[in-house]
Structure formats: C-alpha cells, structure tokens
Amino acid sequence: MASKRVLLLGGHGKVSLLLTPHLLARSWQVTSVIRDASQTEDILSKGKNLPGKVDVLIRSLEEIKSEQEAREVIHQSAPDYIVWSAGAGGKGGLPRTNAIDRDSCIHFIRAAASVPSVSKFLLVSYLGSRRKKAPWWSEDGWSRTQAVNSGVLKNYYPAKLAADECLTAVAQKRRDSFKAIVLRPGYLTDGDENGLISLGKIHDSGSIRRGDVAAVAARLLDSEASGWLDLLEGEEKIEDAVERVVRDGVDCVDGEDIEVMVEQYS
C-alpha cells in the first residue's frame, strides 16, 4: 500500500503511543494530536529509526465545539485516514466525558465524512458498547454487560455508544468511499504485544493487551476492513484474524438497528 497520512486523535494515550510505531513502520506519515506541548518529545521519539514521519499538533479535543472546528484540524494535516483513540478517561465527570467521548468525537466523524480525501475512520471503542444483545452472546453475558454499562460505566457507555452509532450512520451515506472501523476491545491490560487474539463475533467478556490493540488497529487500517469488530486475547495470529474478518465480511453490528442509527445521525 502506498504511503498514507494518518491523523491520530488522542496521540499521547497508551494505545496511541503503541500504535504510532506500527504506522511509521509502514512508511506512513502520522500527525499526532495532543493537548500538552510537554508530551511532544514522547511522540517524536516513537519515530526513531523508522521510515515514516511523525509530527505533532497541539489542540485540546475538549475544546472542539463544532464540525467546522474539527474540519479545520483535519485540513491542517490532510490525512487519508483518521484514528480516534482519545477520551476523558473518567476525569471530569459526566460533562467532560460527554464533551470529549461523545461531542468532540462526533464532530470529527461528521467532519471526516465531509472531506472526500478521508477514506477511513477507525474509532477505538469497547466491547460492551451496544444497545442490544449480540446474537452470539449468552443471556448471562448480556446481563453482565448491562450491569457494567449502567454501573461503573454509566457516563462512558452512552457517550461511546453515540459515537459508534454516528460513525456507522455516516458511513452508510458515503458507502464504499468511506470505511468506518469500530474496534471494540475488552478490558485493557498492559504488557508487550502477544500477537494472538480473538477478533469478530467472540465472547462477551475478557481482556486484551494494549499492545495487541495497537497492532490490530494498524493491521485493520492496512486492509479492506470495515464495521464493528470485537477484540479479546485468543489463539489466532493477528494477520490471520484480520484476513479472516475481511474475507468473511464479519461485522459485530449485527443485532443492532442500523436504520435507527441512520435516522438519528444523518
């Protein structure tokens, strides 16, 4: 694949810091959006001895209040692909979660869909972000997911779900010219990349290393993947898993009401 430009939103997050070298190793160019200039050296160091180029854009995603402001950020970097791996991280309560995880993300989704040169948007979400029980989940698993979403994730869940649904809806309008990827990992753990995963229509709970999330995200961007893809630790090599879900057209949005999403967000 020819060299691509990637706009990485939330560039100093743990997954983003692990993702950046994967993108640079492909000779791609990465613009990493961070809110604190003191984080710049952390970002630039990820490009050491790699063929791609990385630069930094200082912007607070919390302060992006419109689609137009998001579009201005996109135009500054002229990306082919956009990755959203940002979030409030539970800090600042409901107002900040909504401002970043929902509103800012949706502004960037809509802006990206309006820029013809942007052909992919990968959104890092989480496994439990859905309205209905996945047809391949057990009733007990769905009950556990609902308990978590209405409990410890009561602020995060509706914000992430709104962003996931908006991306799915706007992708329906652009169809094949705009690939929307919602990567939905389970509980995130630290540790080096393991390289063995479960991807697609899988179990309703479990964990995954951040290093593997980053490796999968890069591989998905470098493929024809689209749709919702659930991710846990497993026994399949990353390259084989991505090839399989692309070949088989796996999409974990099955069971959700896409027409309702389109009506709400179009």
Side-chain angles (χ1 to χ4, degrees):
M1 183 180 289
S3 179
K4 298 295 182 180
R5 297 185 62 89
V6 181
L7 179 63
L8 180 52
L9 299 162
H12 199 255
K14 291 183 178 180
V15 171
S16 292
L17 288 172
L18 295 166
L19 173 59
T20 299
H22 283 283
L23 303 178
L24 298 174
R26 289 168 162 78
S27 298
W28 293 359
Q29 299 179 57
V30 177
T31 296
S32 187
V33 178
I34 56 176
R35 62 179 175 82
D36 187 344
S38 68
Q39 300 166 341
T40 299
E41 187 53 40
D42 285 346
I43 304 297
L44 297 181
S45 68
K46 300 302 178 183
K48 186 176 181 180
N49 299 323
L50 292 172
K53 295 181 180 180
V54 59
D55 57 58
V56 166
L57 181 60
I58 311 296
R59 287 295 299 267
S60 170
L61 298 179
E62 186 176 2
E63 295 175 2
I64 299 296
K65 301 299 183 182
S66 70
E67 180 181 328
Q68 178 57 35
E69 290 180 359
R71 191 178 296 110
E72 290 170 1
V73 174
I74 293 172
H75 285 317
Q76 281 185 267
S77 59
D80 302 289
Y81 305 156
I82 296 177
V83 176
W84 177 280
S85 186
K91 299 176 182 178
L94 180 60
R96 190 163 185 265
T97 296
N98 283 342
I100 300 175
D101 293 273
R102 184 189 66 190
D103 299 341
S104 182
C105 187
I106 286 176
H107 293 324
F108 273 101
I109 290 168
R110 292 191 182 281
S114 73
V115 177
S117 59
V118 177
S119 59
K120 294 183 184 181
F121 194 115
L122 187 148
L123 169 58
V124 179
S125 184
Y126 79 104
L127 185 63
S129 177
R130 57 187 310 127
R131 291 187 185 275
K132 300 179 180 180
K133 183 180 81 68
W136 56 94
W137 285 4
S138 68
E139 291 293 343
D140 287 345
W142 177 233
S143 294
R144 288 192 299 269
T145 298
Q146 289 178 299
V148 171
N149 285 343
S150 62
V152 295
L153 298 183
K154 64 180 180 180
N155 293 340
Y156 183 69
Y157 163 64
K160 290 302 290 185
L161 181 63
D164 293 354
E165 292 184 338
C166 180
L167 180 56
T168 302
V170 300
Q172 291 290 308
K173 295 184 68 176
R174 276 191 56 179
R175 296 290 181 177
D176 291 344
S177 64
F178 183 77
K179 291 190 180 298
I181 306 166
V182 183
L183 182 57
R184 304 157 52 79
Y187 180 76
L188 296 174
T189 63
D190 291 322
D192 295 335
E193 176 187 335
N194 179 46
L196 296 175
I197 62 167
S198 292
L199 183 67
K201 295 180 178 180
I202 56 177
H203 192 59
D204 54 76
S205 63
S207 63
I208 182 71
R209 299 181 186 193
R210 288 182 174 89
D212 287 314
V213 176
V216 170
R219 180 71 65 165
L220 290 170
L221 285 173
D222 203 6
S223 76
E224 292 302 308
S226 64
W228 293 17
L229 292 168
D230 296 356
L231 174 63
L232 294 171
E233 291 181 354
E235 299 180 353
E236 191 173 16
K237 292 181 179 180
I238 290 173
E239 57 269 31
D240 294 339
V242 171
E243 181 181 353
R244 173 181 52 79
V245 299
V246 172
R247 181 188 66 240
D248 297 345
V250 176
D251 192 343
C252 298
V253 79
D254 289 351
E256 300 291 287
D257 196 331
I258 295 177
E259 290 186 3
V260 171
M261 297 181 200
V262 172
E263 290 176 3
Q264 182 170 357
Y265 291 104
S266 295

